[in-house]
Amino acid sequence: MPYIIGLNSGSSFDGVDAVLCSIDIGADSHPTPPKYIDALTIDWPNDLRSSVVRAFENELTIFELTRLNYAAGALYAEAVNTLLAKNNLTNEDIDVVGYDGQTIYQEPPDRPKIASVGEVSSPPLTDLWTKGGYPCGLFIVESGVVAARTNITTVTQFRPVDHALCGSGAPLMQYLDFVAFRGLGRPVVTLNIGGIANLQLADSDRSRMMAFDTGPGNVMIDHTMRRRKDKEYDINGETAAKGQVIEPLLEELLGHDFFQRKPPRSAWRLDFGSAYADDILQRYPSVSTEDLVATFTMFTARSIENALTRFVLPKAAGLQELVASGGGTRNATLMKWLGECTATHGIKLTLSDSYNMPAAYKEAIKFATLAFAARRGLANNIPAASGASGFAVLGKLTLAPYLAKGI
């Protein structure tokens, strides 16, 4: 079975994950469930980290962002090469490297505007983005650098084609869930908690699948810890565990305009980013960090519960298990409170580890699987989940230098 490598640095921005898997093509012509082999995480260097944070806030010049794009590619290449050395493999042992890059900006589709403008069937197609509300985004980590410095064929940038077909482009977990769970003979609901959290309803019939962002995952918790404690995140949920939920603030948060949107929907820092969090911190200057972090942690749990009961359970009657992954699963307080929320609906919260996909690395496995499919021209989007107008091959391919011909 071919080896594949997936990389991920998500909206939590807490390191670059690199995962080694094996995968093949099954009897039904779809990829087999990926088999996890090994993984590692490397930290972002401080100078690159600070530049990415500035990019989130639109504070970099185009010249600075260009150089950051290449430097980030070098960091991803280092992660790949370190993983190869750890497993005594060479570049020619690897079929493909897949990653999406670091999201700097993402604008979801404005579906009411799209409906009012209608589909553009003749020029100018530019109206789709200048007037029509089509989605777009910017994702850095230069694939040319990764392919050149690892000498491995690389696939990245999975969202733009889905955007161009009027899909949300986020989340992207649904294709891996289709690949991993289609043989179980029952629908499976998964949850990924990164900076933003998302739910997926996986089914062997892709027309019945769903995938959408539920709201914040770690993003507001992490921001508060940086502002108030000079820490990158709430380690094991210890800060939240010491606090009390501020009920009036929680109700305010649950009234955010984002929750009026129906799936398919995607969230980004425009919804729950630093400006939104800072406004709350400024209005509650005397409230303890513990109480604020507790409230934001419960906000994540409750927004996931609300999305699950409102949108997913009506399509997954009898659901007994919610399979969780992502960095948020390391927050014991969040998992405890979320587990209590789901238990009231008779649903047990479990980890993707039980399906041979370590929770901390499932997102990286996702990108490896997307890349494996893309290299073979397989449709790796789920139109029913993203709202795209049809199936497509997501991802841009950069061939390994050693494959160059005509030399």
Side-chain angles (χ1 to χ4, degrees):
M1 297 175 71
Y3 289 123
I4 54 176
I5 289 178
L7 299 156
N8 181 63
S9 175
S11 49
S12 288
F13 190 50
D14 50 5
V16 178
D17 298 328
V19 64
L20 175 68
C21 302
S22 61
I23 197 168
D24 212 337
I25 296 294
D28 61 358
S29 300
H30 293 296
T32 57
K35 294 184 178 179
Y36 169 81
I37 298 171
D38 194 19
L40 56 81
T41 300
I42 64 173
D43 293 331
W44 282 85
N46 288 336
D47 58 338
L48 293 188
R49 169 179 282 276
S50 63
S51 293
V52 173
V53 171
R54 289 177 60 213
F56 290 156
E57 305 300 330
N58 197 25
E59 295 176 354
L60 288 188
T61 68
I62 190 65
F63 309 118
E64 292 171 319
L65 185 60
T66 299
R67 187 158 292 276
L68 174 62
N69 180 39
Y70 279 65
L75 180 67
Y76 273 47
E78 287 180 357
V80 170
N81 292 334
T82 302
L83 186 61
L84 291 178
K86 182 183 178 187
N87 287 273
N88 296 313
L89 296 172
T90 70
N91 64 298
E92 293 188 22
D93 293 319
I94 307 302
D95 179 75
V96 70
V97 168
Y99 67 89
D100 196 50
Q102 182 64 54
T103 300
I104 299 300
Y105 174 77
Q106 185 157 240
E107 189 175 311
D110 185 336
R111 298 201 182 276
K113 181 182 286 188
I114 291 168
S116 67
V117 172
E119 177 66 29
V120 175
S121 57
S122 60
L125 285 173
T126 53
D127 283 358
L128 295 175
W129 283 272
T130 59
K131 301 177 183 178
Y134 263 53
C136 58
L138 177 64
F139 318 97
I140 66 167
V141 184
E142 176 52 51
S143 62
V145 174
V146 177
R149 305 310 297 191
T150 63
N151 212 4
I152 301 172
T153 294
T154 299
V155 180
T156 186
Q157 300 273 348
F158 295 101
R159 303 180 200 271
V161 167
D162 202 65
H163 284 163
L165 294 174
C166 203
S168 59
L172 286 173
M173 188 65 78
Q174 57 266 27
Y175 182 71
L176 170 59
D177 286 347
F178 166 72
V179 167
F181 299 121
R182 72 184 186 279
L184 296 184
R186 57 178 171 83
V188 175
V189 178
T190 72
L191 166 70
N192 186 72
I193 311 174
I196 301 297
N198 47 73
L199 283 169
Q200 287 74 220
L201 170 59
D203 196 291
S204 58
D205 181 350
R206 285 179 284 181
S207 69
R208 293 200 293 257
M209 290 182 64
M210 295 181 70
F212 62 96
D213 288 342
T214 63
N218 307 312
V219 63
M220 295 181 68
I221 300 168
D222 293 349
H223 183 79
T224 304
M225 292 300 294
R226 283 193 291 267
R227 285 284 194 264
R228 288 286 193 93
K229 296 284 190 180
D230 197 28
K231 295 181 179 179
E232 292 300 319
Y233 59 97
D234 183 12
I235 300 172
N236 205 34
E238 294 172 357
T239 302
K242 297 174 183 175
Q244 297 292 322
V245 174
I246 307 166
E247 292 295 339
L249 175 57
L250 177 60
E251 290 307 308
E252 176 190 332
L253 295 168
L254 290 168
H256 192 291
D257 289 345
F258 171 80
F259 301 111
Q260 302 306 312
R261 306 177 203 164
K262 296 180 180 180
R265 68 184 187 192
S266 58
W268 184 236
R269 293 174 180 268
L270 293 178
D271 295 299
F272 302 107
S274 59
Y276 183 65
D278 280 338
D279 176 68
I280 295 169
L281 296 182
Q282 290 166 9
R283 290 192 286 116
Y284 290 83
S286 61
V287 172
S288 71
T289 302
E290 289 75 14
D291 287 357
L292 284 169
V293 172
T295 304
F296 292 155
T297 301
M298 183 60 80
F299 178 35
T300 293
R302 286 282 303 280
S303 59
I304 292 169
E305 177 194 16
N306 291 351
L308 180 68
T309 57
R310 183 182 177 192
F311 299 119
V312 178
L313 290 186
K315 295 190 176 184
L319 179 70
Q320 297 180 343
E321 178 187 37
L322 178 62
V323 183
S325 63
T329 61
R330 296 194 289 263
N331 184 322
T333 302
L334 173 57
M335 293 298 286
K336 176 177 180 292
W337 292 351
L338 178 58
E340 292 170 353
C341 289
T342 60
T344 63
H345 306 282
I347 299 170
K348 181 181 179 181
L349 183 64
T350 62
L351 295 179
S352 60
D353 299 62
S354 58
Y355 293 94
N356 193 36
M357 290 183 287
Y361 293 109
K362 190 184 176 202
E363 284 198 271
I365 296 171
K366 163 187 71 180
F367 290 124
T369 306
L370 283 164
F372 177 85
R375 191 170 185 198
R376 287 154 181 81
L378 298 175
N380 56 358
N381 69 331
I382 310 289
S386 73
S389 59
F391 284 102
V393 179
L394 308 185
K396 302 177 184 180
L397 183 145
T398 304
L399 289 174
Y402 80 90
L403 295 175
K405 299 179 180 178
I407 298 173

